[in-house]
Amino acid sequence: MEENKKQSSEGSDSKSSSSRSKIFGAGALELSVDDASRLIGGIVEKGISDNELQSKPIAPPKPSVLPFPAARHRSQGPHWGPIGGIIDDNDNDGEKEEDKGFMEFDPIAPFANPVERKKKKGLDLSRWREIASGDNRSIADKVAQKTEKERKSGAASKRNVSRGPPSAVPMKMDVKRNLDTGRRLNESGEAMTSISDDGSFSSATDMELDNLKESVKDANPVNFSVERRKHDGIGFSEVHRRQELSTMVSSSRSNNFKNEQESMSLDSQIDAKNRAQLQRMSPDEIAEAQAEIMEKIDPVILKALKKRSNNFKNEQESMSLESQIDAENRARLQGMSPDEIAEAQAEIMEKMDPAILKALKKRAQAKLKKQISSSSEVGTTVEQSAVQNENSQDAEGFAHLDHDISHMVATTSDNAQSRRDNGAANRSLWNAWSERVEAVRELRFSLEGAVVENDFVQVPNTCDISVQNRRSADNVTERDFLRTEGDPAAIGYTIKEAVALARSVVPGQRALALHLIYSVLDKALHGIYQNRVVSTLDNANKFDRYIDWEAVWAFALGPEPELVLSLRMSLDDNHNSVVLACAKVIQSILSCDVNENFFEISEKIATYEKEIFTAPVFRSKPEIDVGFLHGGFWKYSAKPSNILPVDEDMLDDESEGKHTIQDDIVVGGQDIAAGLVRMGILSRLRYLLETDPTAALEECIISILVGIARHSPTCANAIMKCQRLVETVVHRFTSKDNIEIHPSKIKSVSLLKVLARSDQKNCIKFIENGTFKTMTWHMYQYVSSLDHWVKSGRENCKLSSALIVEQLRFWKICIQYGYCVSCFSDIFPALCLWLNPPTVEKLIQNSIISEFSSICTEAYLVLEALARRLPALFSQEHAGDDTEIWSWNCVSPMVDLAMKWIALKNDPHMSKLFEWQKGIGSDFVFQDTSVTPLLWVYSAVMHMLCRVLERVIPEGVSVNLHGSSELMPWLSEFVPKVGLEIVKNGFLGISDANSSEYPAANGSFIEELCHLRQRSNNETSLASVCCLHGFFQVIVNIDRLIQLAKNAVHGPPQEYCISKEGKILDNGILKGSMVELRSLLNIFMKLVASEWHFVQSIEIFGRGGPAPGLGVGWGASGGGFWSADVLLAQIDAGFLIYLLKSFQLLSSTDTSTVEAMTFTMQRINSALGACLTAGPRDSVIVEEALNILLRVHALKFLGLCIQQFFHLNKRFKPFAWEFKEEDYLVFSETLASHFRNRWLSMKKKVKDMVNNSCSGNKTFKKGSAGLDTIFEDLDTSNKINQKPTSLVVEWAQQRLPLPTHWFLSPISTICDSKHAGLRRDKTKNLVEDPNDLFEVAKAGLFFNLGVEAMSTFKSIEVPSPVQMVPLVWKLHSLSVILLVGMGVLEEEKSRDVYEALQNIYGQLLDQARASISADLILKNKVDILPESRNKNNAGFLMFQSEIHESYSTFIETLVEQFSAISYGDLIFGRQVAVYLHRQVETPTRLAAWNTLTNACVLDLLPPLEKCIAEAEGYLEPIEDNDGILEAYVKSWNSGALDRAATRGSVAYTLVIHHLSSFIFHSHAVDKFPLRNKLVKSLLRDYSRKQHHEGMMLNLIRYNKPSTSKMLDRNGGSPLERGGVEKRIEVLTEACEGNSSLLTEVEKLKSSL
């Protein structure tokens, strides 16, 4: 036994020294991912055991000298074999015996001696943090410095040893198999030499092999599959050569895998020793040793080794060249448009041999199948693995270079056209996004969350990828600091590995993994938010240029890692460090901090009274009843009914077994916050709060609760219903030191504020049980002076400011509901300090301008909310409910305080601060000071004054400036005071003012705000726009009140009207500043026109973001809808609509002047653009924009644009109709009602609609959609005067933001649902009466014709959003209205409007086709041949791709209507014939042709010259699609074209043109079989049907007409005699020697 212990000790020493050599010599980064993850045993989850003997009784724990969880060294047991691989039998037996001994008591166990710790020499773990934080190169340098003396002292001895003979290798008999392998290697020279890239050698010494002989038996079979190619040039070729030779020798030596494993282990150990030896040798010593080895080695072997090294170099260079070519090709493809790619593919197809092409296609298909099944065997060479790793991160997702080439060739085949025709655009976007997310699976992250770029690549085995990922995740716990004696995170962790590590039995590993996940998510979230708001898919092809944080975030929150389950388990951990780390991860997932930054800004915007829930949503699918228009209702990603956890009391016998953990995981994949709530996170958080957590954990818990409360009404209610949760939060708030302020206190008030905002019932509950007073008592504290507050310290000022702000917001919410108004008298003394203007110089000197301004802003916003509770000044009616009202007695002092802030604008320090912000001043005092907090104060002051003035204006006064004297008996004295203060302090540039008297002469306050809006960051721009909005509301209300008072007073003017300021007030402040006001309007028109584009680009795949996070956590670039950019665009749009509304009061009704017409055009385009930026809480903005668009004045202007357009375009039929005033009134009312019901109505819940329905009508079939459409768009007029029950808006159940084609809805709504195929109910639809639908369609036709005609005028500065709507939607909308019937075509006026719209869309179609052809000509520098033009000019009218995948069904319904009720109507026929245009995608054209053929209505189509758009668009490019050409011939043979030929239908012309061009002018060799097939079919038909002789002769004689000549009835122009003979030869050739067919050709020749 002692001898065994001695041997074990010697082995331990040797192995420890070996490990040290490996770590410091070889470097940690030389381990592959797979090998590094197998250093220690497998993962064991908490509470889970994979032991097969679970049925046996569990033995008590075995005593151990080493306390758990101290890690044992690898030398202390035989259990260090790899998990998941084939392990040595001896090791397996040892483990089994150890397990058996652990479970069954051994009689000799009590006599075992304790294990003595081995003293490790030369291993210093005191500086592991420094080593772990540095890179690998720095580690090697530090180690080299420490061992410099050792190297110098041992240089001579090593040199002597290296001269020893190669055969002198003493071995022991217990490693006989390794000796055999070693002798084989020695015979070939491999065990003693290592060759570098330049052919130099280094030796392995006898002492090194002697040190290895004991460690071989227990060593890991580490496979150095890939080494560093750039940094370690010496070992790269050596390693590759050793792997090849080792594998060859082992396989030839024995079939036993155990021998192969041992040889690989020996080879790896020798390699590591050689590297360590080389690092300790100087260059001279290495050169000397190489020279000695070169002398002794056999010249033949040396020559063979050099040859092999050179071959490997050449192979590497060739692969490097291929990689460069591949990179160039990818870069070039990224810069090419789809048309250019298609053109290049067509050229390759033409130049390539068909046989080669067929072989490439076959190989590509085989590789594609292997890739799909994930079972393809990847090459084992370094280059192939590197290429695979590089391409796995590319957005294109190709596996390797060959697959890329074959895939490109395959794309040029028939599959390319079919993919393009079947909606390749949408699928390519989804595929690109999927590949981006898939690439994240292989990314490895450091503990700081950064991506680790490995120089090696893990070479997978032939097993499935999922199996490899599972093995990697299972083995991740084998790496930690103690067990690896270094940096275990050097190779990084994948997300799935980190999630797996979070389930380790070691608490330190769990905390480490959660910290890593938190770092990754935090970096991803901030990386997403810092990007500019663009489409998420715009950067799909740039993955290799930056870290794709959007994809990282989406993958982490996706269903594959099952992160939500691991977090919920970790939250139940009994270690505080793990719980805290888990709470931080959940806080990051819920995007708590970033979302709170968004809501912090949103709270300051006085125009928004409500906030938005943050739950992820998606759009409902477009339906036929609304013409497939996008912009459906938003729905929650997770149903609200699935969020609440299942109550044990509610479980019955039937549903007890239905609720599983898998259900929770599914809900967590849909919505991660919903999944956490469903898993019972709220009760766990309550328990943690009750156990007196640390300050950091408590802050995280409150933040999580705030994030959950902001999720949805369901989650907010879940918090309220969770027993003792809110009470615990309040208790924690009061139990702490009342004087000291903690961040958790601030967040606790914020939590109650969010809960009160979500539901009025919660607010009432907080008031009744005293929670409101308990949480807001700090507001009652009186601060004597600003100096006293400053002396408490800047940190205390910061905390107290944040707490008071949250308490004021809590109070404001209660006021908005109509409660706690009476608290004003108690709180006002404490608010006086914050309401009065401070000394700006003192704020700047103490750096507390932001803290003071925050309290001041919120105080004035509270006053603004109180002003909303004022009764109307001239009304005797008061609120009859239980809500409170504010008294007018309190208003006058508040107005005086606000006027002091207006006068503060001319303070010298304030002026200098604005100059510094503009970049004019250079005072060092303002270096770290921003003007933004003061702008928020001015915004709140202005909005407070605006609300007070609104309550002064009598109810029922019209919007214009002319009021009634009966409604305005007298004017409040503060109204002119405010106006005079504004004029005196230079807020506006009054044109009549003297420059010496008015400060505005040197730049008004409005100009400064405009400058800040255009040149500052987002928050400053937001504050500037809000300040402008409030200011203009004040001056508009002042003007209105003064005008009303003037109309009421008929005597001499009052005293305040004598001065110049009084004259300005008398004339109107707006009228005196028209020049500046018009300039401001132009600025914001341009801003809104440039902002609605990126708002529209955010929505992808019907979602607001690619990830199921909260708010910013939706994962859209830049924050998406939750970004400051979008918020700024919405605020700009709201202010612009208010300016346009105000200008209606001042502008003239005369539209005859050019200036007035231009301004009206800009106003309409701006209103259309503002509608596209509106969010869920901007429905008022859309309503105001509709009022601007649908006013009679605006509709008259559209009628004028229609007349002007047709007057300038002589090619179209003159539009002779003139609409009357009554028509415009009907159009205005009809469209206003339709647009509001269609786009602004809220979706009714099913249970509400059932309650509103008749009691006897309660039986509906399952799946019926009738309940969804009966009430959802009806009866929204009663919502205006209703008291709000919630101050938060849901994304779900509404439709905003609008799609770009929203204005097409009047002509895209159908009534009869039996044609839809998607709805089966017989109940009334969106429009109750078909007559109402007809009126809506007529008004919609006029409106669309007007905006289309207006958009053709290019002289306007503000572009029209109408131009950005794809033409395919416009043509589709004209078809939808025909599904209802012929109503719009039977009435003459609407028929002419319909035809005029067809003409305009035809002109747009011609322009688009001409621009595409011109682009192709410019790119090719030469004229395009018909064949290449055909292949590159892909159709842009993609009905099936862009509108609906089942568009062929829609065409069948349309053709059915055409054949049933049209009787060959020309306008109806033009609309049907447009689907035969060559720019229509192939499946749609084919479906249209087949449907027309089957219905036998080809003859009802109009002639080609009467179709929509020019004739050339139907004829060019030449048709070469097999399916369509065969369909033409089938129609020919069936006789469906007989009457079409007689009537000169466009169908017959198309058949003659395309068949003749394809048969006689197509030169593509691959099309000859199809040509011969078509000719044979035509000739056989001619032999059976002699009456088709004329059609055959026309086919042969056909010649394409010139564009200047009209087509005759038979199509084309006459052909010369020589051309006819050539065509007869083509027919003869196509017969392929068939005698009967040749006879028919001769008959045709004789007829000619």
Side-chain angles (χ1 to χ4, degrees), residues 553-559 589-591 614-617 637-638 667-675 711 1103 1105-1111 1113-1115:
W553 180 263
F555 179 81
L557 270 62
I589 285 180
L590 301 183
S591 312
T614 59
V617 291
S637 296
V667 175
Q670 297 171 348
D671 185 342
I672 197 162
H711 176 272
R1103 298 181 181 272
L1110 270 65
W1114 289 2

Side-chain angles (χ1 to χ4, degrees), residues 249-302:
V249 171
S250 301
S251 59
S252 62
R253 174 66 179 172
S254 175
N255 293 328
N256 192 344
F257 183 79
K258 183 176 178 181
N259 294 342
E260 182 181 358
Q261 181 181 4
E262 292 173 349
S263 65
M264 291 174 65
S265 175
L266 176 63
D267 188 60
S268 302
Q269 296 287 351
I270 294 174
D271 176 71
K273 284 293 183 179
N274 288 341
R275 290 179 178 274
Q277 181 77 13
L278 287 174
Q279 289 184 359
R280 292 191 294 267
M281 296 175 65
S282 64
D284 296 338
E285 294 172 346
I286 295 175
E288 183 179 354
Q290 290 173 349
E292 293 178 359
I293 296 175
M294 292 285 288
E295 294 175 358
K296 298 181 179 180
I297 201 168
D298 189 357
V300 178
I301 298 177
L302 180 62

Side-chain angles (χ1 to χ4, degrees), residues 260-531:
E260 182 181 358
Q261 181 181 4
E262 292 173 349
S263 65
M264 291 174 65
S265 175
L266 176 63
D267 188 60
S268 302
Q269 296 287 351
I270 294 174
D271 176 71
K273 284 293 183 179
N274 288 341
R275 290 179 178 274
Q277 181 77 13
L278 287 174
Q279 289 184 359
R280 292 191 294 267
M281 296 175 65
S282 64
D284 296 338
E285 294 172 346
I286 295 175
E288 183 179 354
Q290 290 173 349
E292 293 178 359
I293 296 175
M294 292 285 288
E295 294 175 358
K296 298 181 179 180
I297 201 168
D298 189 357
V300 178
I301 298 177
L302 180 62
K303 184 177 179 180
L305 291 175
K306 287 185 176 181
K307 183 178 180 180
R308 179 183 299 175
S309 178
N310 293 332
N311 293 338
F312 183 76
K313 284 185 185 179
N314 297 334
E315 182 180 359
Q316 183 179 7
E317 291 176 358
S318 63
M319 292 302 295
S320 176
L321 180 60
E322 292 180 3
S323 302
Q324 293 178 2
I325 296 174
D326 176 65
E328 293 176 0
N329 291 339
R330 292 181 181 275
R332 186 173 180 182
L333 285 173
Q334 289 180 0
M336 296 172 66
S337 65
D339 295 337
E340 291 175 331
I341 295 175
E343 180 182 355
Q345 291 171 349
E347 292 183 6
I348 296 175
M349 291 286 292
E350 292 177 359
K351 297 179 181 179
M352 190 171 289
D353 188 358
I356 299 177
L357 182 61
K358 185 177 181 180
L360 291 175
K361 286 181 182 179
K362 187 175 180 181
R363 186 178 69 172
Q365 292 174 358
K367 290 186 177 182
L368 187 60
K369 291 180 180 178
K370 292 181 180 180
Q371 184 181 10
I372 293 175
S373 61
S374 300
S375 59
S376 59
E377 182 175 0
V378 186
T380 56
T381 60
V382 178
E383 291 82 359
Q384 290 174 339
S385 302
V387 172
Q388 179 195 3
N389 181 58
E390 190 175 290
N391 293 335
S392 65
Q393 297 181 3
D394 195 283
E396 298 297 325
F398 295 135
H400 43 71
L401 185 64
D402 291 338
H403 180 266
D404 186 13
I405 298 175
S406 62
H407 181 79
M408 184 174 64
V409 173
T411 305
T412 60
S413 65
D414 299 337
N415 294 333
Q417 186 69 25
S418 61
R419 281 196 305 128
R420 189 187 307 116
D421 295 336
N422 293 327
N426 295 333
R427 287 205 303 271
S428 63
L429 293 178
W430 174 255
N431 292 337
W433 170 248
S434 300
E435 289 168 357
R436 289 170 60 187
V437 178
E438 287 291 331
V440 179
R441 180 185 287 110
E442 305 300 330
L443 287 183
R444 312 192 73 84
F445 300 91
S446 65
L447 297 180
E448 292 77 21
V451 176
V452 177
E453 297 181 359
N454 293 322
D455 293 331
F456 49 81
V457 181
Q458 180 178 358
V459 180
N461 298 325
T462 57
C463 59
D464 191 84
I465 293 178
S466 60
V467 177
Q468 299 166 12
N469 293 334
R470 186 168 63 251
R471 288 179 179 176
S472 178
D474 291 342
N475 300 335
V476 69
T477 53
E478 300 168 3
R479 292 186 275 131
D480 66 334
F481 283 99
L482 295 178
R483 295 180 176 180
T484 55
E485 299 178 354
D487 185 3
I491 61 173
Y493 298 83
T494 65
I495 293 178
K496 294 190 67 175
E497 288 178 353
V499 173
L501 190 64
R503 302 182 182 182
S504 171
V505 296
V506 182
Q509 288 184 340
R510 299 198 296 270
L512 187 73
L514 292 171
H515 172 73
L516 184 146
I517 296 173
Y518 167 75
S519 302
V520 172
L521 293 175
D522 186 64
K523 278 185 174 294
L525 191 61
H526 287 85
I528 291 171
Y529 196 69
Q530 290 172 2
N531 290 338

Side-chain angles (χ1 to χ4, degrees), residues 1405-1418:
L1405 178 56
D1406 293 335
Q1407 293 174 358
R1409 184 178 57 84
S1411 63
I1412 291 178
S1413 300
D1415 292 342
L1416 289 175
I1417 293 175
L1418 290 176

Side-chain angles (χ1 to χ4, degrees), residues 841-853:
E841 182 181 5
K842 185 178 296 185
L843 295 180
I844 296 175
Q845 289 177 353
N846 293 278
S847 301
I848 57 171
I849 187 171
S850 177
E851 289 75 13
F852 181 90
S853 300

